[in-house]
Structure formats: C-alpha cells, structure tokens
Amino acid sequence: MINKKNMIKVKAMFALLISTSIIVSCVNKDEFFELKDRGGVGPDLWSTEGTIQLHLNRAYDVVMPQFLFQDHTTNNMQGRYGIHFASDESFFPNADSWAARALGMGEPLDNHSVFFTGNLYTGNAGGNKYFDIARCNNAIKYIPEGTLPRSVYRQYLGQYYALRAMVYFELTKVYGGVPLVLEPQSPDYLTVTGRASAKECFQTIVRDLDSAMVLLDGITFPDATGRGKITKAAAASLKAKALLYWASPQFNPRNDPRHPYEQERWNVALQANKEAYDICIAAGNRLHSNYATLFQTEGTANPEVILVRPYNSSIERRGHDAERRSRPVSENNGASPNQGYRATINLMDAYPMKDGNVISTAGTYNYDPVMFWQNRDPRFTATFAYNGSVWELSGKKDRRQWTYVNAIQESAGWGVYCKRFSIPSIASGSIPYTSNLGGNGMDWIEMRFAEVMLNYAECLNETGNITLAKDLVRQIRMRAGIEQGAAGNDYGLGAATGIDAMRDLIFNERFIEFAFENKRNADLRRMRRMHLLTGTMSAMIIELQGNATTTKNTLEAITNATTGQRFRDNLNIEDKATYLTYFKPYSIVQPISRPYSVPEFHYFYTFHNDFVYSGVNIQPTIGWAGGTFDPLD
C-alpha cells in the first residue's frame, strides 16, 4: 500500500500508534527507551494489562461503527462516505453527491471514487483500514509473547481477533477481495501485495471469529466497565453474519455461469446462525419488549443488544449529534435536520398494515393513502412523527408535531420525521454536541438480537425450513404489536407460501425493522437488488387546502393566550373529514430528477488509484476501467 517515498510517514505513524499506549500507561518512560525493538513493539508493553487495555480501547475507537452522519466522518474516506450510506431508505442522496452517484443519480463513479480503505497516514477512524488492522496484528502476535498468563490475556486476544475480523469483513463487503495482511510489518518496510479472493477473505474472517469464540468462552464483562466489549455471543453473531454473506447472492449468485451457485454454503451458514442464536439465548439475549424505546434503553435493561458502541454526553469526545440531526427545526434551535433521517416513499410504503398484510392487500385493515398512518404496523408510528401526531419534544406535554408546508417555526417541509434516535425529554437548548460535549449520549447499537433472528430465519428459509423461519419473523412482528389477523394469515405471514415469497418477506422485514440503522445499503448489495431499484427517489410533503395563507392563519390562530395553544392543537386529525378540511392528501417531492440506475458490476467496488499505485499487484476489479480481478474466482 505504501511505497518508499512514504516510509518516513509510515514509521512516524507506527511510532504514534505505540506511543499513544505508552505515554498514558503505567510503563515507566525510562523503561521505554530501553526496549530492544524501538521501531515496533517492545515485549514489556504486552505484559501490562493497563497498557493493553488502552491500546485495545483505541482499536475499538477506530473499528467500531459510529452514529451516522457525524461531522468528523466527512474528514475520512475523502468525504465520500455517502457512497456506503446510499439506498432507497432516506433522502440522504439528495444532499450528498457521492450517495447520489452510487445510485446512478449523478455522474458515474470511477476508479478514483471509493476511498473506503482510506489513504491517510493517521490512526483516526476511517483514515486507513490497514492501520486499524496493524493494531490488531501487533496485539495478536505479541500478547502471547508477553508474561501475562493465558487465563488473563485471552479476553484481550479474543477481542483483537474479532476486531480484525470486523475490519476485513467490511472491506470484503465493499471490494469482494482485498490484500490480507495477518502479521506485523516492520515500519522500515510496509507494503500490501496482491488481492486475495473473496473465499480466502471469508476463510480468514471465520477463522479469526472462531479464535475469538474460543478465547472469550466463559468470559463476562460487567455492564459498568464492559459495555461495548465483544463477547462470545457477539463473535458468534458476527461469524454467522459473515457466513450469511458468503451464501448470499452478492458472493453466491444464482445465474452466473462463471461461478456456479453453491447451495452448501447455505447449509454451513444455517449451522453457524443456529449456533449464534443458541449462544445468545444462553447469554440472556432476547427481544426488548418495546420497539419504540430500543435505542433509548441502555445497559442491562435492554437484553436485545449484542454489539454496541457506548456514548456519553458528559464525557469529552464521547458524544454525538444524532439528536440535533433528527429533530425538527422548532425544537432544534432553528437548525434543519439531516436528510439522512428523511424517509423515502419506498420506506414508508414498505410498512404493512396492523394485521401484517402489505398495503396493497385487502384484509382486516385497508390502506387509506389520505390517512396513511392509520392502522399500520405499530413500528410505523414508533419510527415516524407525522402531521398532527403527539411528539413531546423538550418535555412538552401533549406537544403535537405539525409537518405541513410553512408551518410556523418549521422550515424543513418534511412530511414525517424520524423519532428513533431522539430522547424527547431533553430540552432544545441541551441537544447540540458542541466543544466535544453534549448531545443525548445515546449508544449506537451495531447488532441486536432481532438481526440474529432474521439472519437465522433467512438461512432456514433458504434450506427449506419455512415453518421455523416464519416462527422467528412471527416473534419479531408480535413484539412490534402486529395483530394475528384473520385465520390462516398469522401476522401477515400467510401469503409467503414458498421460499421465494418468504425471501421477499424477510427482505422487506429487514427494511422496516432496521429503518435508519444503516443496514439497507448492505442488504441491497448482499441480495444483488440495488441495480433493480426503479423510478425516482421521492419523499412526502403535506400541503394545505384552499387558500394556503388563509388556512395557515386559521390553523395557527392562538386560542389560549395563557398556554399559547393554537386552533390546530385541538383538531381531531384521526377524523378524515376534519383532516381534509385543512390538509390535502400527501404529495410527493422529487428533488433528484434522475431515476435509479446502478450498474450491476458495482456490487464490488474497486480500490482508489492511490491504493493501487502505492501497493504491489493491486488489480482493479472487473467492470471498472482496466479491471482484471474477479473477486469470485
């Protein structure tokens, strides 16, 4: 990856990686200068628990996924992180040109577009994935050579194996096949050579996670000090997820003569996913009782969490800005929310009715496009604040959210807002994350038990056990509050009478269950469905009836000078006639005029030219300019 002209930078970077663990640890600074290996890792560093823990903390910091749309993220991947957030879920591509390009709505991506590996000589998150791997390689190599007994160091070693697997898994999902560097490299000569096949990469990922499971077996971490650490259950879930990917169409296409489909991969994935499910159950994991409060419930009170990145609003540099990025203008100090939290019509239409039927199917409840929120899957109202709904932001009792165009104190013009990552009780003046403090401090859940269940369900379906697959989805729908419905329908699962139909149902279930959790881009790619997106990205707007100015004045007239209550606050918006007196049926806005148009070869991106030119034999991916490397060969 790095040629000779960069050697000085690399050596300095490696020194920084090590020194950050030394300076603040209990290792005497005089002892450091006596270390025999000044250019790399001295043995004393790996014989002290405090030093290892500090090094491990930093590894977590750069590897573990973060809350979405963070300011600092734009400094990584050359600002092109939007490529990996692009989907039909949110309106983010309307605000991010790279996300638009990834969906074929802008200029085509080229060989210098994707900077997922990073190309910076820094140890910051997203700066350079191979520096993240280097941290893990050093620990995996040198911890066993230290003097700590195995009974002590295996918990650290297990976490490093899992973290290395996470980095390689993310790289493989993006590129298909990447250079495998599994040993420490001398800072005097660091290079990355060749690209391993996708198969070799998955073998490495699974081997690392197997090691992590063995090393972490029987180890528990107290919530007060261990939240966010990788456990055996987390490692097993990651392994199961990796093997699900290896069996899925992105890596196991059904109609590719060059790469025959292998059903056996699904059998292997099924075994791993069943094991992960059983391990999680034994560890006490289960669905959280209330979908609406999943992200607001932390610690031992939320048994659904498998893998989490902890945050804290009162500890410097441990917060995030998700509260500000998702709140409406009126409770956001005048700031507009991020387009990444603006739902598309595709996402809203994906939610079934309260009996589990899709909105196009007649049943106990029938869809009304005017009263679009009524009788829907309860996850709809748990996720979206719609026009006139109650959303008690800033602790304001019975506060109603109005989303019609030009509503007083609102300027975004969104038809609905995302509620999932907001803590309503926080006052508007306290929500910004500024000077590295503040925000809501909500933890980012990277993997939860519902994902383990749906991964397992998918494997069951692909191997012919539709009955058990339905049972797992049924549990998730029951937790959501969906009703059983008419006889034979069973929570909307009756329509899935075969493997293909059940596959589509699970795919849609993931869309709504993980709304705004950054799963959709990966799911579209994994299932090879991104190039099948059609039409134009659209979102909802709510307009006023009649003369908009007159209607607005009527709605916003103050009827109680003491409380500031307005005429609109007493409207029964659940009554259709009343609603249509003031509001039109929702309209669609399409700021991006180009339709979805994703080339099929984009399921595997190619390395940016900086990476290609500075490494050895880093071939471009087929389909891209000069591409000769086929990840599936």
Side-chain angles (χ1 to χ4, degrees), residues 405-617:
V405 176
N406 294 323
I408 188 170
Q409 297 181 330
E410 304 288 6
S411 59
W414 295 14
V416 297
Y417 290 93
C418 174
K419 298 160 60 176
R420 298 205 63 204
F421 309 115
S422 176
I423 298 179
S425 61
I426 297 178
S428 59
S430 302
I431 66 173
Y433 178 62
T434 57
S435 301
N436 299 315
L437 289 168
N440 65 20
M442 180 184 292
D443 291 349
W444 173 253
I445 305 174
E446 178 58 22
M447 180 178 285
R448 51 190 178 89
F449 190 54
E451 183 176 2
V452 174
M453 294 175 69
L454 286 174
N455 290 351
Y456 183 22
E458 191 169 338
C459 294
L460 286 163
N461 182 60
E462 296 296 340
T463 52
N465 193 340
I466 300 177
T467 300
L468 186 51
K470 283 187 177 183
D471 183 62
L472 291 167
V473 177
R474 182 183 298 109
Q475 292 177 48
I476 289 173
R477 290 192 163 195
M478 289 174 66
R479 185 271 296 275
I482 289 178
E483 297 174 359
Q484 186 170 5
N489 189 37
D490 195 22
Y491 301 93
L493 301 175
T497 56
I499 291 175
D500 292 345
M502 189 62 189
R503 181 186 302 124
D504 290 342
L505 188 148
I506 293 172
F507 183 67
N508 190 77
E509 194 74 14
R510 296 178 66 91
F511 194 16
I512 58 182
E513 175 69 21
F514 304 127
F516 303 106
E517 293 184 39
N518 198 31
K519 307 291 186 187
R520 183 63 172 177
N521 176 283
D523 277 349
L524 286 167
R525 291 168 56 79
R526 178 176 67 85
M527 298 297 288
R528 286 187 179 257
R529 297 195 182 191
M530 187 171 276
H531 76 286
L532 300 178
L533 294 175
T534 59
T536 303
M537 178 172 288
S538 58
M540 174 188 290
I541 57 173
I542 305 295
E543 296 178 301
L544 296 175
Q545 290 281 16
N547 182 299
T549 300
T550 300
T551 304
K552 174 178 165 64
N553 289 338
T554 299
L555 288 170
E556 297 174 1
I558 293 179
T559 57
N560 188 320
T562 302
T563 63
Q565 189 175 65
R566 302 179 186 275
F567 174 80
R568 66 187 183 184
D569 294 325
N570 288 313
L571 285 180
N572 179 13
I573 63 161
E574 300 301 327
D575 177 71
K576 187 173 182 177
T578 301
Y579 186 85
L580 284 176
T581 299
Y582 302 98
F583 308 107
K584 296 178 181 179
Y586 77 79
S587 301
I588 291 176
V589 59
Q590 298 174 318
I592 296 179
S593 59
R594 296 187 185 183
Y596 296 107
S597 181
V598 182
E600 195 163 358
F601 68 85
H602 278 196
Y603 288 113
F604 298 113
Y605 291 126
T606 197
F607 290 103
H608 58 82
N609 291 337
D610 289 356
F611 190 88
V612 173
Y613 297 153
S614 59
V616 177
N617 192 29

